[in-house]
Amino acid sequence: MYQFNFDFDDFLATHWHQKPTVIKKGFNLFKDPISPDELAGLALEEEIDSRFVTNKEGTWNVTHGPFEDFKDFPETHAQLIIQAANHWHPGVASLSVPFKKLPDWLFDDLMICLSMPHGGVGPHIDQYDVFIVQGMGKRRWRVGPMGEYKDANHDTGLRQIEKFDPIIDEVLEPGDILYIPPGFPHEGNTIETSLSYSIGYRSPKEQELLSGFADFAVNNDLGDTHYHNPKIKTQTQNSMISSADYQALNKMLMRLLNNENAKRHWLGEQLSQSRHELNLMEADPLWTQEELIQFIQEGMILEKVYGLKTLYHENEPLDLYIHGEHIHIPEGAEKFLKILCCQETFTKKDLGPLIKNKAIKVLLLKLCNQGYWYPQA
Ligand code: SIN
Ligand code: CO
């Protein structure tokens, strides 16, 4: 069980979206949740997003996984990066638990870097809030002020920048945490072979909200209505878009944008969509209704797939959003939404009389057959 060794509320008030900081011993007696060998094993998997970055003699090189093997892993100037490792490894998933104090819709993933001495990805700027937790080994981190920086080594895809003057320059040791808000340049350089864990949060952009809602409107046939004006009049300047026409078209657009019900469902769907592949555990063969209920009755523990986003809106206990999908919870079964959203596992004891509810049984079958919940081994 990982627990913060500092006051997270104080940290948020003074640093979140404001300024970078190092929290020495943010985790006391930190133990790595994964070994370098296990991490390298993840990079062999097709579904797992991995990169290998080297910088021998100042030449940056990036290769993308899946990799065949790591027999010749360089002893220096190299870094293996695994994205969304929390989706694939229970120990790593448990390291994300203390960070659940922040809303899940903001959370992106937990990325792990295995870095050899002098390994890193070079100076760069992220548009993410990131907590970098140092595991085994030591790395020196430099963080600069926000500002305008020139791009460098563009062809590597590393989005590097040229040099910056640090406002933080510290060596991180096991259990230390570096927090960096979006826009602050930073660079990690490895001193002793290291595992570090980047817990990333991504705030949506205005333009992403707009284009996401536009897609939702099109996919759901909202606003499939043409401008209609049976009272049109002649105008002397036919190049002119009249103020009245502008107002009428703007009103059409705003009618769509002010559709609160549509916006709520779209936001729930969009924010519950993970940006990284999930380790879905589809039953094979699929469960039948009778089998599933019988196994639950016999005491089976159902576990939620790591990294699955299960969201709901405040004061809307009958609308559940799972991985981009809106699911209507039957009237009177608000407790079922809470079980699915707020628990990592559940059993017949949690369900109580709900297990007899026909609509709930149908829903359970759908969720298990989609691989979102699976029997705990
Ligand atoms: C690294 O650990 O070198 C990359 C993590 C980051 O800078 O976001
Ligand atoms: Co970064």
Side-chain angles (χ1 to χ4, degrees):
M1 262 262 284
Y2 291 95
Q3 267 179 344
F4 290 138
N5 189 28
F6 62 100
D7 189 306
F8 200 68
D9 291 302
D10 282 352
F11 157 80
L12 291 182
T14 48
H15 290 89
W16 180 261
H17 277 181
Q18 298 168 58
K19 50 182 189 245
T21 186
V22 171
I23 306 160
K24 291 299 274 180
K25 293 265 166 279
F27 288 106
N28 222 351
L29 304 172
F30 185 82
K31 268 217 179 85
D32 285 282
I34 191 168
S35 68
D37 278 351
E38 276 180 288
L39 190 73
L42 295 183
L44 311 183
E45 303 289 336
E46 180 121 24
E47 310 94 310
I48 303 184
D49 186 0
S50 58
R51 272 171 300 156
F52 189 64
V53 182
T54 57
N55 62 334
K56 267 253 149 73
E57 281 145 28
T59 306
W60 291 93
N61 193 298
V62 185
T63 39
H64 290 262
F67 297 94
E68 296 269 307
D69 62 61
F70 285 106
K71 281 206 277 294
D72 304 315
F73 205 97
E75 293 198 349
T76 64
H77 299 87
Q79 174 153 315
L80 174 65
I81 303 170
I82 308 288
Q83 215 69 61
N86 57 308
H87 290 192
W88 306 93
H89 188 282
V92 176
S94 70
L95 178 56
S96 66
V97 171
F99 294 92
K100 288 187 191 283
K101 286 174 187 287
L102 286 167
D104 202 24
W105 66 263
L106 273 172
F107 175 61
D108 191 51
D109 77 328
L110 191 159
M111 171 183 104
I112 308 185
C113 297
L114 167 60
S115 321
M116 307 312 278
H118 307 292
V121 295
H124 65 280
I125 297 175
D126 295 316
Q127 292 314 319
Y128 286 66
D129 291 273
V130 67
F131 295 92
I132 300 175
V133 178
Q134 181 63 45
M136 62 179 251
K138 279 187 195 168
R139 295 183 86 193
R140 176 182 173 195
W141 281 95
R142 296 162 65 255
V143 185
M146 276 218 241
E148 293 292 321
Y149 295 94
K150 282 214 185 80
D151 287 352
N153 301 322
H154 206 70
D155 46 328
T156 59
L158 286 169
R159 303 186 331 269
Q160 289 180 345
I161 52 163
E162 289 184 350
K163 287 201 182 337
F164 59 84
D165 294 322
I167 49 174
I168 288 179
D169 187 347
E170 282 207 43
V171 173
L172 293 200
E173 296 179 313
D176 294 346
I177 304 176
L178 168 64
Y179 165 72
I180 312 171
F184 286 80
H186 56 279
E187 176 176 22
N189 201 330
T190 312
I191 300 171
E192 284 171 15
T193 302
S194 146
L195 280 173
S196 58
Y197 306 85
S198 299
I199 294 96
Y201 293 83
R202 188 176 188 286
S203 304
K205 289 187 200 180
E206 284 174 3
Q207 52 181 230
E208 289 166 356
L209 295 179
L210 187 62
S211 78
F213 185 59
D215 288 344
F216 178 91
V218 171
N219 294 337
N220 290 279
D221 272 342
L222 300 179
D224 190 13
T225 317
H226 287 275
Y227 168 65
H228 177 69
N229 181 8
K231 295 196 179 133
I232 196 163
K233 300 236 168 45
T234 57
Q235 62 185 51
T236 47
Q237 296 285 329
N238 89 329
S239 301
M240 182 182 72
I241 302 164
S242 72
S243 301
D245 285 344
Y246 170 86
Q247 296 299 346
L249 293 169
N250 187 41
K251 205 166 152 193
M252 281 173 76
L253 176 63
M254 289 306 155
R255 196 165 47 230
L256 200 54
L257 285 175
N258 287 326
N259 182 336
E260 289 302 324
N261 213 26
K263 264 192 298 194
R264 231 187 354 262
H265 292 328
W266 146 69
L267 253 192
E269 289 182 13
Q270 182 158 327
L271 298 178
S272 66
Q273 182 78 58
S274 174
R275 293 159 55 87
H276 304 274
E277 189 106 27
L278 291 170
N279 185 15
L280 293 180
M281 308 283 259
E282 284 141 13
D284 182 22
L286 295 181
W287 296 97
T288 65
Q289 183 76 89
E290 293 70 33
E291 277 168 353
L292 180 65
I293 298 305
Q294 187 189 332
F295 275 99
I296 296 176
Q297 292 284 21
E298 287 169 4
M300 182 170 77
I301 300 174
L302 282 167
E303 181 156 12
K304 184 164 28 176
V305 156
Y306 302 127
L308 178 72
K309 285 191 201 271
T310 47
L311 306 179
Y312 62 96
H313 288 290
E314 189 173 4
N315 305 324
E316 299 285 344
L318 294 178
D319 291 306
L320 168 65
Y321 303 92
I322 297 188
H323 199 41
E325 190 184 348
H326 171 208
I327 291 176
H328 194 73
I329 299 290
E331 203 76 43
E334 290 82 352
K335 188 178 155 206
F336 188 53
L337 177 138
K338 286 288 166 72
I339 292 172
L340 297 180
C341 287
C342 310
Q343 298 185 197
E344 296 309 311
T345 61
F346 67 89
T347 62
K348 69 168 178 190
K349 213 163 144 225
D350 299 298
L351 292 171
L354 287 177
I355 200 165
K356 300 217 160 67
N357 181 314
K358 174 101 198 312
I360 297 284
K361 287 201 264 190
V362 171
L363 201 46
L364 266 176
L365 183 68
K366 171 180 149 70
L367 296 172
C368 292
N369 277 340
Q370 280 176 297
Y372 291 150
W373 275 264
Y374 58 94
Q376 199 177 53

